[in-house]
Amino acid sequence: MITDIIRENLSLIAISSMSYRIGFGIDFHQLVEGRELWLGGVKIPHDKGALGHSDADVLLHAICDALLGALSLGDIGLHFPDTDSAYKNIDSKILLRKTYQLIKEKNYRVVNIDSAVCLEVPKIKKYSEEMRQIIATTLEVSTDDISIKATTTEKMGFVGREEGLVAYATVLLEKF
Ligand SMILES: [Zn+2]
C-alpha cells in the first residue's frame, strides 16, 4: 500500500519534471501541371506544382505536424481543415506561424528540427538556405537549428514517377 503511494508520487514527479518533447510529421502532395511549387516557404521554378487546398507546401506541413505531434495537439487537418475556405490557397508560412503560436501558448520552444523532402526533380539544394532562414525566423531559432535534406527515390514509386512528393520532419521542443 505504502509502496504503491510512493510509486505513484515518484511517477508524478517524473511527469512534472519532463521538459523535452519529440514530434514527428509527414506530408504528401500530388504534383500537377498548372500549380506553383512551394517548398519550405520558397517558390521553386518548376513545370509542376503541388496540388492542395492551401499552397500545398509539403515541407512546412510536415513541420507543422511535427510541432503539433510533439505536444499531442492533433494534426494540421484538425487545426486548419481543408473544408474551411479561410485556408484556400493560404500561404503555409501563416499556418506555421499559427502552429508555433499554439506551441508557445503551452510554454514550449523549438530546440531543433531535422527534415527531409523526397522528390525526383527539381534539385532544391540551392533553395535550402532560404528555406532554413524562413523557418528559423518564423520559429525564433537560429538557422543552425533547422536541417533540410533532400533525396530522390531513385526513380522508384510515385515520387520516382514525378506524380508526387513527400516531406518528413522531426522536432525537439523544450519547456521554458
Ligand atoms: Zn500538406
Side-chain angles (χ1 to χ4, degrees):
M1 190 64 181
I2 291 169
T3 51
D4 279 350
I5 293 167
I6 292 169
R7 198 176 298 136
E8 216 168 86
N9 281 321
L10 280 175
S11 63
L12 280 176
I13 291 164
I15 289 167
S16 63
S17 64
M18 256 171 54
S19 56
Y20 290 96
R21 305 277 297 201
I22 191 165
F24 168 72
I26 183 168
D27 195 39
F28 301 79
H29 282 275
Q30 282 182 47
L31 281 172
V32 295
E33 284 170 10
R35 287 273 301 183
E36 293 176 345
L37 180 59
W38 286 88
L39 267 178
V42 178
K43 189 177 164 186
I44 314 264
H46 191 45
D47 58 352
K48 285 180 176 177
L51 184 63
H53 185 68
S54 64
D55 66 5
D57 189 322
V58 74
L59 177 57
L60 294 192
H61 292 182
I63 291 172
C64 285
D65 259 4
L67 289 165
L68 293 168
L71 296 182
S72 305
L73 293 174
D75 59 26
I76 195 170
L78 178 76
H79 293 274
F80 314 110
D82 61 9
T83 48
D84 190 335
S85 60
Y87 303 118
K88 180 124 181 74
N89 292 323
I90 196 170
D91 180 342
S92 292
K93 291 189 281 292
I94 296 169
L95 302 184
L96 184 64
R97 205 176 306 134
K98 284 173 181 279
T99 302
Y100 179 51
Q101 210 52 47
L102 295 170
I103 302 307
K104 282 213 290 193
E105 281 167 17
K106 297 279 182 185
N107 298 327
Y108 277 84
R109 67 171 195 89
V110 174
V111 177
N112 74 306
I113 290 176
D114 189 15
S115 67
V117 181
C118 297
L119 82 169
E120 203 61 37
V121 283
K123 296 274 179 236
I124 60 165
K125 197 176 186 328
K126 64 177 171 185
Y127 305 102
S128 66
E129 275 312 306
E130 192 181 348
M131 293 179 196
R132 290 172 72 206
Q133 191 67 59
I134 288 168
I135 296 163
T137 303
T138 307
L139 300 179
E140 300 179 302
V141 292
S142 146
T143 52
D144 291 341
D145 301 322
I146 307 293
S147 155
I148 300 171
K149 306 187 297 289
T151 182
T152 69
T153 57
E154 302 285 338
K155 303 212 180 294
M156 292 181 288
F158 68 89
V159 172
R161 291 189 298 271
E162 299 171 40
E163 294 168 3
L165 74 174
V166 189
Y168 305 84
T170 54
V171 56
L172 186 66
L173 301 183
E174 182 184 25
K175 199 158 197 169
F176 58 76

